[in-house]
């Protein structure tokens, strides 16, 4: 049994966590603290990387001290420090990763560099502390990423598809901005649709579905369609009911595309377990749609509770303990990597083979 300190500063959340890893591979989160910078960035309509980094500098030592106090942690009991090294905003990653390396050096403890997306991918199993159920398909939907992953074993990840332009969360945020909703747009857009009793069928906004069972996403067409619509219909921003209708229709378009491609990925791989993670996985409509579709398709759906879908350090500590339990070396990087990929892509040949298999099964 040993204790791992997790540190996450890849974007606009400063987060620290303490996890206890047991010899049988189980992992228990002792404490998880998140300091959100929403109030700092809200008036600016988006994240300013330098301001975010400086807020991490201020917040991180305070959070670590608070975590230490809450858990009565003695430095001598600590086994290792796990920090996010990418992907994310370079100045922000540098703060957390350098803090971790410096602390490790001072305490004589190992420091591990973790991939932020691996944290999200495994986060549905965080609440139970149990081992992820391989093989599974993972949908990661956040402000910076929209990815479909085929996970076959610990650390064995294949990229099935992803967005070719905006991430799903980015689409929510940009469209919310067009609708004069505050940052971050996703939760505000959902609230506007829900509280304003928006009609999801009011507008048939486009959903990009490239032909041939392709598992990529595209959300920039939707954003452009909404922009043109609002230019012609400015009252759809100012009139509460009409704005709620636009919000509900946009949400339906994004949820529709995510759900359809994700279930297609399960069918193509023949995998029966689906992990859904990242900030957009907080969206109630997405959760409802995936629950219904997975039930119908006989796919077991694993989703973290909403508070563990957005960025946190518990998922980083958990990913570290999982890697260690699986006998994988947790690479200590000398530097951050702002565009660190989680997985390599699938070869065109394999994609075609999978599609043929699904077609044959359906015929
Ligand atoms: O995973 P996350 O906290 O940070 C990144 O790694 O990007 O995700 C943040 C994203 C933002 O784009 C935010 O608008 C979106 O998640 N989000 C939502 C909801 N809650 C957060 N999008 C739609 N509906 C929500 N309820
Ligand atoms: Zn994230």
């Amino acid at each position: 049994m040993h204790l791992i300190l997790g540190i996450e500063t890849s974007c606009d959340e400063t987060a620290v966590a303490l996890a206890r890893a047991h010899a049988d591979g189980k992992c228990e989160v002792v404490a998880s603290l998140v300091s959100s910078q929403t109030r700092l960035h809200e008036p600016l309509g988006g994240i300013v990387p330098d301001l975010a980094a400086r807020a991490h500098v201020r917040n991180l030592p305070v959070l670590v001290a608070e975590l230490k106090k809450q858990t009565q942690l003695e430095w001598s009991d600590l086994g290792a420090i796990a920090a996010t090294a990418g992907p994310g905003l370079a100045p922000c990653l540098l703060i957390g990763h350098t803090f971790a390396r410096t602390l490790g050096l001072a305490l004589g403890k190992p420091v591990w560099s973790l991939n932020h997306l691996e944290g999200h991918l495994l986060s549905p199993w965080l609440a139970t502390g149990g081992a992820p159920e391989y093989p599974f398909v993972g949908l990661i939907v956040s402000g910076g990423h929209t990815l479909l992953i085929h996970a076959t074993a610990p650390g064995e990840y294949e990229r099935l598809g992803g967005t070719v332009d905006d991430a799903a969360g980015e689409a929510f945020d940009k469209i919310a901005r067009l609708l004069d909703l505050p940052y971050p747009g996703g939760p505000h857009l959902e609230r506007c649709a829900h509280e304003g009793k928006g009609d999801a069928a009011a507008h048939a906004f486009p959903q990009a579905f490239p032909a041939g069972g392709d598992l990529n996403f595209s959300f920039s067409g939707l954003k452009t369609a909404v922009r043109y619509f609002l230019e012609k219909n400015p009252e759809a921003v100012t009139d509460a009911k009409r704005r709620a209708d636009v919000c509900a229709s946009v949400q339906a378009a994004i949820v529709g595309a995510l759900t359809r491609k994700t279930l297609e990925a399960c069918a193509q791989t023949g995998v029966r377990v689906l992990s859904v993670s990242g900030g957009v996985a907080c969206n109630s409509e997405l959760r409802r749609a995936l629950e219904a579709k997975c039930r119908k398709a006989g796919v077991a759906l694993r989703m973290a509770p909403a508070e563990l879908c957005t960025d946190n350090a518990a998922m980083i500590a958990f990913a570290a303990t999982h890697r260690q339990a699986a006998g994988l070396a947790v690479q200590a990087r000398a530097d951050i990597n702002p565009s660190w990929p989680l997985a390599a892509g699938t070869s065109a040949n394999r994609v075609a083979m999978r599609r043929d298999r699904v077609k044959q099964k359906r015929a």
Side-chain angles (χ1 to χ4, degrees):
M1 187 276 288
H2 60 240
L3 291 168
I4 294 182
L5 172 68
I7 295 181
E8 155 63 44
T9 63
S10 66
C11 194
D12 63 339
E13 252 99 33
T14 318
V16 298
L18 191 67
R20 185 175 284 124
H22 296 273
D24 61 1
K26 289 225 167 204
C27 170
E28 164 205 348
V29 177
V30 183
S32 172
L33 304 178
V34 180
S35 166
S36 171
Q37 301 177 8
T38 303
R39 279 219 214 112
L40 173 71
H41 300 289
E42 193 180 332
L44 306 161
I47 301 164
V48 180
D50 271 10
L51 290 184
R54 284 160 58 194
H56 289 313
V57 172
R58 289 193 300 274
N59 295 339
L60 199 45
V62 180
L63 278 192
V64 170
E66 179 60 30
L67 185 84
K68 209 164 166 273
K69 195 166 134 204
Q70 273 188 21
T71 60
Q72 298 186 332
L73 170 73
E74 295 291 341
W75 286 132
S76 54
D77 293 338
L78 196 66
I81 303 166
T84 304
L89 301 171
C92 297
L93 288 164
L94 269 175
I95 304 302
H97 199 249
T98 307
F99 183 98
R101 286 178 63 93
T102 312
L103 188 62
L105 201 64
L107 299 175
K109 304 284 178 186
V111 178
W112 299 334
S113 305
L114 271 292
N115 186 301
H116 178 80
L117 296 173
E118 188 172 47
H120 276 308
L121 183 75
L122 305 179
S123 65
W125 288 278
L126 232 176
T128 60
E133 301 147 87
Y134 298 99
F136 67 87
V137 164
L139 169 71
I140 304 173
V141 266
S142 69
H145 302 273
T146 300
L147 259 186
L148 274 169
I149 295 287
H150 183 199
T152 49
E156 302 274 321
Y157 307 132
E158 173 197 14
R159 187 184 192 276
L160 296 170
T163 183
V164 297
D165 40 55
D166 292 346
E170 194 180 356
F172 269 114
D173 295 344
K174 286 179 175 171
I175 294 171
R177 209 169 163 179
L178 296 175
L179 288 160
D180 264 351
L181 290 166
Y183 167 87
H188 286 284
L189 193 145
E190 177 179 6
R191 202 168 307 129
C192 177
H194 178 70
E195 288 174 3
K197 297 194 177 22
D199 177 6
H203 307 283
F205 290 128
Q207 295 180 33
F209 291 129
D214 178 294
L215 295 175
N216 286 320
F217 301 93
S218 166
F219 295 108
S220 69
L222 170 67
K223 176 191 62 193
T224 308
V226 176
R227 200 178 68 223
Y228 286 152
F229 173 80
L230 295 177
E231 274 169 18
K232 280 197 202 128
N233 303 276
E235 69 288 354
V237 178
T238 47
D239 178 276
K241 172 67 175 106
R242 294 205 58 190
R243 184 161 79 160
D245 285 347
V246 175
C247 287
S249 304
V250 165
Q251 185 169 250
I254 297 175
V255 167
L258 290 174
T259 315
R260 190 164 138 183
K261 291 292 172 87
T262 303
L263 269 294
E264 179 65 32
C266 294
Q268 284 189 19
T269 51
V271 163
R272 316 306 293 166
V273 178
L274 171 66
S275 135
V276 182
S277 58
V280 179
C282 293
N283 188 278
S284 313
E285 284 306 314
L286 178 64
R287 295 174 87 93
R288 252 195 295 276
L290 284 168
E291 270 160 18
K293 288 266 161 73
C294 285
R295 206 177 307 122
K296 217 168 140 202
V299 171
L301 177 62
R302 306 287 181 244
M303 282 190 293
E307 66 276 13
L308 292 175
C309 287
T310 45
D311 289 349
N312 62 84
M315 70 183 193
I316 300 302
F318 180 67
T321 61
H322 178 57
R323 274 196 163 256
Q324 215 213 6
L328 296 173
V330 189
Q331 192 190 5
R333 301 181 63 103
D335 192 8
I336 55 153
N337 182 353
S339 49
W340 189 5
L342 178 61
T346 315
S347 73
N349 206 7
R350 254 168 100 180
V351 172
M353 271 164 52
R354 276 201 194 121
R355 258 181 245 154
D356 290 347
R357 215 168 46 220
V358 173
K359 270 191 211 144
Q360 279 163 10
K361 259 195 234 158
R362 282 176 185 159

